[in-house]
Amino acid sequence: YAKEAGAQRILAAARTLPMMARRRLVLVRDADTLDAKALEPLIGYLGAPAPETCLVFVAEAADAKQKKFFAAFGKHGEVIKFEPLKERQLPSFLKDEARGRKLKLDAGVPELIADEVGADLGQLVDAMERLELYVAGRGGERRVTVEDVEAVVATTRQRSVFELLDAIGEGDTGRAM
């Protein structure tokens, strides 16, 4: 973790030769917790990194003060931004996941799973795995129905108070509950 290790320990780890391997992976979590001054020693390293080290920084977001470091990182390495999937992208993600597992989803199944689980990809994959195991027990066609989803997938999605108010305003007591 960046804050615990500090720039000097990160540099030492990055410059340490790998043992019994050709490469060394140094993973720095919460890199955004280091301020610009703490990141400064690392900028020099980025210009001439150890060829046997793969240095990975994980950060939620960079503020304006850290911009110099992340700009230097982008020049000498790769900066990849992982955006969470939007609600409308979840059914496509589930269809791709089903295709990879050789499952056939009935109409409305991806939308139902997305509605029950929400945008947590780990939980969506877990739901697909449970469905895969469930339908495999039947033998034959690997088809997932709405009934299968209702039997196997737990509702883990966290709803907002605004969704509750919308349901109450529309008089939809089932959705409100």
Side-chain angles (χ1 to χ4, degrees):
Y1 289 88
K3 194 109 177 162
E4 293 172 21
Q8 294 309 317
R9 279 190 54 204
I10 294 168
L11 280 172
R15 289 184 175 138
T16 301
L17 291 172
M19 183 180 266
M20 298 189 307
R22 292 190 320 167
R23 295 201 177 265
R24 179 179 177 89
L25 172 67
V26 178
L27 178 64
V28 182
R29 296 175 195 252
D30 299 332
D32 51 346
T33 61
L34 291 175
D35 60 17
K37 187 176 181 182
L39 289 169
E40 196 124 339
L42 296 167
I43 293 174
Y45 174 82
L46 295 176
E52 57 277 338
T53 299
C54 178
L55 181 59
V56 178
F57 285 85
V58 179
E60 285 290 320
D63 65 18
K65 295 174 188 165
Q66 298 164 330
K67 234 170 185 59
K68 181 179 176 185
F69 171 76
F70 285 105
F73 200 92
K75 285 181 190 172
H76 301 289
E78 191 75 30
V79 175
I80 303 171
K81 188 173 183 180
F82 294 98
E83 293 285 340
L85 290 180
K86 297 191 178 14
E87 198 74 28
R88 69 180 188 287
Q89 296 171 306
L90 297 178
S92 292
F93 172 81
L94 289 164
K95 288 174 188 173
D96 290 343
E97 188 69 24
R99 204 171 302 117
R101 295 172 182 273
K102 296 178 177 44
L103 294 172
K104 294 178 184 147
L105 303 180
D106 281 0
V109 165
E111 294 78 8
L112 178 60
I113 297 170
D115 190 52
E116 293 295 314
V117 175
D120 183 325
L121 297 185
Q123 295 217 12
L124 287 170
V125 170
D126 181 62
M128 289 301 293
E129 186 175 343
R130 279 187 269 130
L131 286 164
E132 179 182 22
L133 293 170
Y134 186 74
V135 299
R138 291 195 296 238
E141 188 181 27
R142 295 169 52 92
R143 194 175 123 238
V144 178
T145 65
V146 169
E147 291 78 20
D148 296 332
V149 174
E150 290 170 348
V152 176
V153 177
T155 302
T156 57
R157 177 190 189 125
Q158 293 188 358
R159 308 246 182 215
S160 73
V161 70
F162 301 109
E163 290 176 282
L164 173 64
L165 292 174
D166 287 344
I168 291 170
E170 293 168 9
D172 189 343
T173 52
R175 202 170 97 213
M177 295 306 283

